[in-house]
Amino acid sequence: MCIESLYKNGLIVAIFGAVFTIVIAIIGWAAMPGIIASVSKKTLVLEEGNFVWNMWSDPPYPIYINFYIFNCTNYEDVVRNGTKPVVVELGPYSYREYRKKNTTVEENPPERVYYREHRLYYFSKDTSGPGLNLNDVITTVNPIYVTVSSYLDRLSTNDSSVDSAVNLIDNFLKDRGESVFMTVTADELIFKGWPLDTYIELYLRIQDIFNPWPPFFPDRPPDLPFFPILPPDIIDEGVTLGIFKAKNDSNDGLFLVNRGTSDYRLFAKIEAWGKTLETSSAYLPYWPGEKSYCNEIRGTDGTLYPYGIDVNDKIWIYQTDLCRTVYAVYEQHETFQDLPARRFIIPKSVLENRTNAPENECFCFDEEDEGTCPNTGALFVGACYGGAPLIGSNPHFFNGDPRYITGVEGLSPNQTKHETFFILEERTNTLLYASKRAQLSIDVRKTRLSATANLRERVFLPVLWYEENAMIDDETAKKFNLFTVIEIVLWTLFAIGLVLSVVGAILIASHFHKEKKLSKIV
């Protein structure tokens, strides 16, 4: 090749390589994000029959919920001698969860859709812990006894009529062997339910005594409620209670969500919720302050997220189990199923005390009563369950007040096992994996009932915790590989452009080198 050809070819190759590289860079770093954004904004909408609608209304990927039950091994010593409770965790008792949204329950307004999500649970032996079955016998705190006990403790003191009523109830429960603890099977505790015949009989007797108030009693205490008549089917057929019984073959209420057709930032946002259409609202009725931070419903239900979430944004999720909205914050980038992703977690501040997080003030009912105004790491969820002494938290009180952890022997909080997190596909914010974890405890303390007389100081005694896991299936994940393939192609073309530029530069350099060499010869 002559020197002039070397220079000419080198210049052509170098210019072509540089221009090619610049064009690919513009496409890859400037145009491509805009293309993805445009596609995402147009496709991430809830329109009947599209890809997002089908994933949302009838998830194709498997969902499992795992229950871990706390078996109290020294319950007799706890009641008789005030010994610290010792618990042993049993689990997981695993269930396959099936969800399907019914979007024809109400007439849908423009750009919005009503739905009720029906859920079914089936025990999964294969994914449960080795050797575990639903007939395992568990000794745990009796939530009905403790609720009755807690209610009676709120009645007037130094009132002879109330004292007489409390004594009657105490003797009634004692004669029937009811106490702070109960023994049930795992199945009865979680979904099947245990019989409440004793408490139905007690309710009927209270009705007979207090409705109407006996004329020979002193004036009726103003804080004593009237007791409505029980439906005949409950009296005749009895009723059972399971911690999650009401959630099986049922739904969590009526949701109204935005389709995202006019504004992508509102995609899947919950605009109202309630048990019925008449009670639907953008605010909850549970917490102090009609339109307080605590009652405000924000964000989505946790299955869909709008496009454009930044790493500095809080992601809001309404949790019916906790009767409140929580938020998640960005933790880190990672790769999931070969897809670029971002991991978000529920931070400690969500359940932080009022001093460190003033916005949580409205989750407190009575600052003098820790049961209804807990410290860091606990929430009085009895607010939406008739005032029952129920406490929600992270499993093993992870990120909670150390007193809650040391108050029960056998707890060992662990971030990896007990933190709630979810992973979103980086470009579209599609949910790739989620692990929602929560614990239910009972506020146990001394009350006016005799079975609580020897209890030690107040303790939040865990009953169970659960994790709900959902992961995108391989077939759905492959749909996002198009973006990855495009990125690989662009990077390959970019590399080719760089190589061409380098080759051109080498040819030009070679030209000048040979030219210099010839000039020396001449």
Side-chain angles (χ1 to χ4, degrees):
M1 182 183 294
C2 68
I3 294 177
E4 292 302 324
S5 296
L6 198 66
Y7 176 77
K8 183 178 179 181
N9 291 337
L11 189 62
I12 293 173
V13 171
I15 293 174
F16 177 79
V19 172
F20 187 78
T21 302
I22 292 170
V23 170
I24 295 300
I26 292 173
I27 294 174
W29 282 281
M32 194 61 193
I35 294 171
I36 294 176
S38 177
V39 171
S40 297
K41 291 174 184 178
K42 291 179 180 178
T43 58
L44 292 179
V45 294
L46 287 174
E47 291 183 343
E48 286 82 346
N50 71 3
F51 169 69
V52 175
W53 177 276
N54 293 335
M55 277 193 62
W56 172 75
S57 62
D58 190 6
Y61 45 83
I63 303 172
Y64 286 90
I65 183 167
N66 299 323
F67 293 95
Y68 298 81
I69 300 173
F70 294 100
N71 183 41
C72 186
T73 59
N74 67 334
Y75 62 96
E76 291 182 341
D77 283 341
V78 172
V79 174
R80 293 176 184 173
N81 307 315
T83 308
K84 179 191 291 190
V86 177
V87 296
V88 175
E89 181 182 286
L90 302 177
Y93 294 89
S94 183
Y95 290 77
R96 175 71 188 273
E97 177 182 322
Y98 294 89
R99 303 179 182 181
K100 190 166 186 178
K101 291 180 174 67
N102 182 356
T103 57
T104 61
V105 288
E106 299 290 345
E107 183 177 350
N108 293 318
E111 300 185 8
R112 290 162 180 82
V113 58
Y114 280 105
Y115 76 86
R116 289 184 184 272
E117 184 172 68
H118 190 250
R119 299 189 182 192
L120 289 169
Y121 298 89
Y122 296 94
F123 181 65
S124 172
K125 181 72 174 177
D126 293 340
T127 53
S128 295
L132 297 179
N133 65 75
L134 294 180
N135 293 320
D136 292 339
V137 176
I138 309 292
T139 298
T140 185
V141 63
N142 185 337
I144 300 299
Y145 184 91
V146 176
T147 298
V148 171
S149 175
S150 175
Y151 167 74
L152 294 176
D153 222 39
R154 294 196 296 268
L155 299 180
S156 302
T157 56
N158 301 319
D159 184 308
S160 58
S161 59
V162 172
D163 291 339
S164 297
V166 171
N167 288 334
L168 287 172
I169 293 170
D170 190 23
N171 291 328
F172 177 89
L173 293 173
K174 189 189 304 180
D175 290 344
R176 285 154 181 78
E178 294 294 316
S179 186
V180 179
F181 290 90
M182 65 179 186
T183 299
V184 293
T185 65
D187 192 19
E188 290 173 329
L189 182 66
I190 300 172
F191 282 120
K192 181 180 179 181
W194 65 93
L196 300 181
D197 296 346
T198 295
Y199 294 94
I200 293 175
E201 184 183 356
L202 172 63
Y203 188 92
L204 293 174
R205 292 202 177 193
I206 291 174
Q207 275 188 325
D208 291 341
I209 295 174
F210 296 152
N211 290 351
W213 190 251
F216 51 85
F217 272 21
D219 291 343
R220 181 187 180 101
D223 52 2
L224 189 69
F226 287 89
F227 296 89
I229 302 299
L230 289 178
D233 57 332
I234 290 181
I235 299 173
D236 297 337
E237 302 174 16
V239 66
T240 60
L241 175 68
I243 302 297
F244 279 78
K245 181 180 178 181
K247 293 187 175 294
N248 197 6
D249 197 11
S250 184
N251 65 81
D252 280 341
L254 181 66
F255 291 80
L256 175 66
V257 299
N258 196 296
R259 294 178 183 266
T261 49
S262 294
D263 188 342
Y264 71 90
R265 292 167 296 187
L266 300 178
F267 170 63
K269 180 183 183 297
I270 300 172
E271 300 197 350
W273 174 88
K275 295 298 183 181
T276 64
L277 180 62
E278 292 70 26
T279 61
S280 291
S281 171
Y283 291 89
L284 300 170
Y286 305 128
W287 308 101
E290 183 179 354
K291 293 187 177 181
S292 65
Y293 161 82
C294 300
N295 278 320
E296 186 177 2
I297 298 175
R298 300 187 187 184
T300 73
D301 65 358
T303 58
L304 295 177
Y305 301 91
Y307 174 80
I309 295 173
D310 186 77
V311 294
N312 297 314
D313 292 336
K314 289 181 178 178
I315 298 180
W316 297 90
I317 306 165
Y318 172 50
Q319 295 285 306
T320 55
D321 294 353
L322 296 178
C323 313
R324 62 163 291 186
T325 300
V326 301
Y327 61 84
V329 296
Y330 167 79
E331 183 184 42
Q332 65 185 30
H333 275 74
E334 57 185 67
T335 300
F336 188 86
Q337 290 194 358
D338 297 325
L339 296 172
R342 296 183 292 185
R343 179 187 177 102
F344 292 82
I345 61 170
I346 304 296
K348 180 180 180 180
S349 54
V350 168
L351 293 177
E352 184 61 270
N353 63 41
R354 297 167 295 140
T355 301
N356 296 332
E359 67 273 15
N360 289 338
E361 173 74 33
C362 48
F363 289 118
C364 172
F365 283 85
D366 181 358
E367 61 183 15
E368 301 297 324
D369 176 19
E370 191 166 9
T372 61
C373 187
N375 201 7
T376 298
L379 178 72
F380 173 56
V381 294
C384 57
Y385 293 99
L390 305 178
I391 303 296
S393 70
N394 289 320
H396 290 241
F397 296 108
F398 168 68
N399 271 343
D401 189 317
R403 293 182 297 114
Y404 301 150
I405 302 167
T406 58
V408 179
E409 191 172 325
L411 300 183
S412 182
N414 180 292
Q415 181 176 5
T416 302
K417 295 179 180 179
H418 303 142
E419 182 178 61
T420 292
F421 70 93
F422 54 90
I423 299 172
L424 302 183
E425 202 274 334
E426 183 177 23
R427 294 153 299 197
T428 63
N429 289 324
T430 300
L431 183 67
L432 301 179
Y433 184 84
S435 186
K436 168 189 167 185
R437 293 154 172 168
Q439 176 175 291
L440 180 66
S441 304
I442 307 292
D443 176 16
V444 179
R445 58 187 177 85
K446 291 182 180 180
T447 65
R448 297 164 80 170
L449 294 189
S450 57
T452 69
N454 295 324
L455 294 177
R456 59 183 292 151
E457 67 272 9
R458 180 180 232 149
V459 63
F460 292 165
L461 190 54
V463 176
L464 57 77
W465 70 273
Y466 66 93
E467 59 179 354
E468 194 172 39
N469 298 320
M471 182 173 69
I472 196 169
D473 60 299
D474 293 339
E475 183 178 347
T476 305
K478 288 178 182 177
K479 297 181 185 299
F480 295 94
N481 286 336
L482 174 62
F483 294 129
T484 303
V485 170
I486 292 174
E487 287 184 352
I488 292 173
V489 170
L490 288 173
W491 275 108
T492 302
L493 294 176
F494 183 78
I496 291 172
L498 287 178
V499 169
L500 290 174
S501 298
V502 171
V503 169
I506 292 172
L507 291 175
I508 293 172
S510 179
H511 159 77
F512 285 114
H513 176 72
K514 289 185 177 182
E515 189 177 60
K516 185 177 181 181
K517 192 174 180 180
L518 286 173
S519 64
K520 286 182 179 181
I521 294 173
V522 175

